[in-house]
Each structure stands twice: as C-alpha cells, then as structure tokens.
Amino acid sequence: MDIVINESLKAYIDPLTPEEHSALEASLLAEGCRDALILWGDVLVDGHNRYGICKQHGLPFQTVQNKRFKTLDDVHLWMIDQHLGRRSVSDFQRGVLALRKREILAERRARAEAERAAEAEAAAPAEAAGDAGDAPPWSDDAAFQAPALDSRQALAKAARLSNSQVGMIETIHKQAAPEVVAAVKSGAISINAAAAVATLPEDEQRAAALAGGSELKQAAKRVRESKRKPREAKPEVEIEEEALPAKFVPNADESEELQALRQRVAELTAENETLKLEVAGLRAALGR
C-alpha cells in the first residue's frame, strides 16, 4: 500500500529539532523501527519522522490501522493526546496542544448542540401528532461525553502545567507576534518573558525579537516594571477647596425640614474631610 503524507497533519505537531532528529536516526539505524506507524486508511497519522528515515535508509517498518478515526477532528485529538503524554514535549508545546484540544472540543460540542436543536425542531410535528419515534442517542454523543476543558484548571491538568503557566500561554497564543512565538519555542526566552512581551504592540514585539533574545528579555523587564504599582504620594498639608464637598444648595421643591437635614449632612461631611486632611498633614509632618 502506498502511504499518503498529508502535509497539514505532518505540520500539526511541532517538528523535531535537528539534534532530536539526529538522535532518532541513530536509534533507528542501531535498533530498527520497533514502533508501528499509525495510519488512517492510507494516510500517515503518526510516525512521519520514522517513515522518512526508514525510506531514506531502506529500513523495514510496520503499519497499524486506527479504526476508531471517523473524522479529521478524531485524528487531531488523538495526535494531541499522544504528544501531551510524551516527556520530550516542552511546557509551551503542551500548553498550545491543550488549547488546540479545547478549541476542537468546543467546536464539536457546538455542532452537536446545533444538530440536536435541528432534530428536536424536526421531531416537534411528529410528537404533536402522537408519533414521537425513536429518540436520538444524544447522551451517547462523544461531543457531550468528552471533557470540555472550559476552565483554566482543566487545561492546566490536561497539559500538566500550573494555572498561571496556562494563563501566560493563552496570552502568547492570542497576542504574540510569530517571531516571539518562535523565540519561546526555541527556548530563547521563557514563557513568562514571552507573555510580557506579547502585551506590546506587534511592531515592538517584532523589533525586539529581531534584535535577539537579550533584547526580548529587556523588553519583558520594561513591561513588568511599567505595570508595578507606583508608590502613593505623600498627602499635601494644604487643603484645596476642590477636595471639599460642594456647598449645599437648597431645593425649593423640598420641605424646610428635609432641606435642613441635607444642609447638616453636607456640613458634617465637609468637617470630616477637613479633619482627614489635617490628620494626613500631621502624619506627613511627623514622618510616619
């Protein structure tokens, strides 16, 4: 059987680094291809690197059909789960894979709910006529049974990361320029630094990335420093008129008693504000 290479599937998972590819090649030349390649029909799903090396060196290999695949989403979810379980996958890659899984599951559930609503609407006339027919097995739908990963905690658990790491990877995934993503993938900067840089305008991100890892780290440092809460200024001793409540203005439509009460409240409020400012000025003078 001729094996078909689907380029989108091949690129769905980040490729091996040159060092990793060399190590895999040495292992296959020394021990042979012990793990079977996974196929979906004639399409290669798992084992692209092994397949290429085996073809290059004329090494024998085996293939196995995964008969559970029904759609391309099934293939993607299987690939994601396989790589989430591998130790060689970086923290950033695991976070991105978990985000992809959440998107697939959310889209699948949305489609299933839309189909459910359409079927319910179509079944309504039959039910009104007293012939409900067989109920569709929505409860058995995989889209409803699979975990939705709709919380940061669920994502963190799936990716074996902390909640804060997942939050930073979400920021990078949504906002980072491609050059910043490439830098964090290569290990030039940390996830923390990349998340900080990702909050900058895209042109600033790109300029920092082109300048190298050192500049990216400096850019991240500047972002963090700009977000720190400035120290509170010492209160001024002088009492500004604008700081006091507005003077009471009587309303002709109100009773005299209500006007008097309102005026008294305004006076007390003004006195209270004045005392607060005097106390603050005394504390500043005493150096507290």
Side-chain angles (χ1 to χ4, degrees), residues 44-213:
L44 182 60
V45 171
D46 185 62
H48 290 87
N49 293 295
R50 284 175 285 139
Y51 176 69
I53 294 170
C54 288
K55 291 286 285 184
Q56 179 184 352
H57 296 284
L59 300 175
F61 57 85
Q62 295 180 333
T63 62
V64 173
Q65 287 284 342
N66 190 322
K67 298 180 180 180
R68 298 180 62 185
F69 298 149
K70 295 181 180 179
T71 66
L72 190 59
D73 279 351
D74 294 336
V75 175
H76 286 158
L77 289 172
W78 184 89
M79 294 175 71
I80 289 171
D81 286 340
Q82 290 297 304
H83 283 77
L84 283 175
R86 292 176 180 172
R87 295 181 180 178
S88 59
V89 179
S90 69
D91 289 348
F92 179 72
Q93 288 175 316
R94 285 204 307 275
V96 171
L97 290 172
L99 290 173
R100 287 182 186 172
K101 183 174 182 179
R102 179 179 69 179
E103 291 171 1
I104 293 172
L105 292 175
E107 291 173 0
R108 175 176 282 190
R109 290 177 70 87
R111 287 196 301 268
E113 289 172 357
E115 291 173 3
R116 176 178 179 176
E119 291 179 7
E121 185 176 354
E127 291 178 359
D131 182 14
D134 294 330
W138 293 317
S139 59
D140 297 329
D141 194 313
F144 286 92
Q145 299 299 322
L149 299 184
D150 53 0
S151 70
R152 183 168 293 177
Q153 185 176 2
L155 276 172
K157 184 177 180 180
R160 304 199 313 277
L161 300 171
S162 67
N163 289 355
S164 62
Q165 284 177 308
V166 169
M168 289 186 286
I169 293 172
E170 282 186 291
T171 299
I172 298 168
H173 187 62
K174 294 177 181 177
Q175 301 175 219
E179 293 82 358
V180 176
V181 174
V184 72
K185 282 183 177 180
S186 68
I189 56 172
S190 66
I191 293 173
N192 190 308
V197 174
T199 62
L200 294 171
E202 188 170 344
D203 56 342
E204 293 185 28
Q205 295 183 44
R206 188 170 286 111
L210 292 175

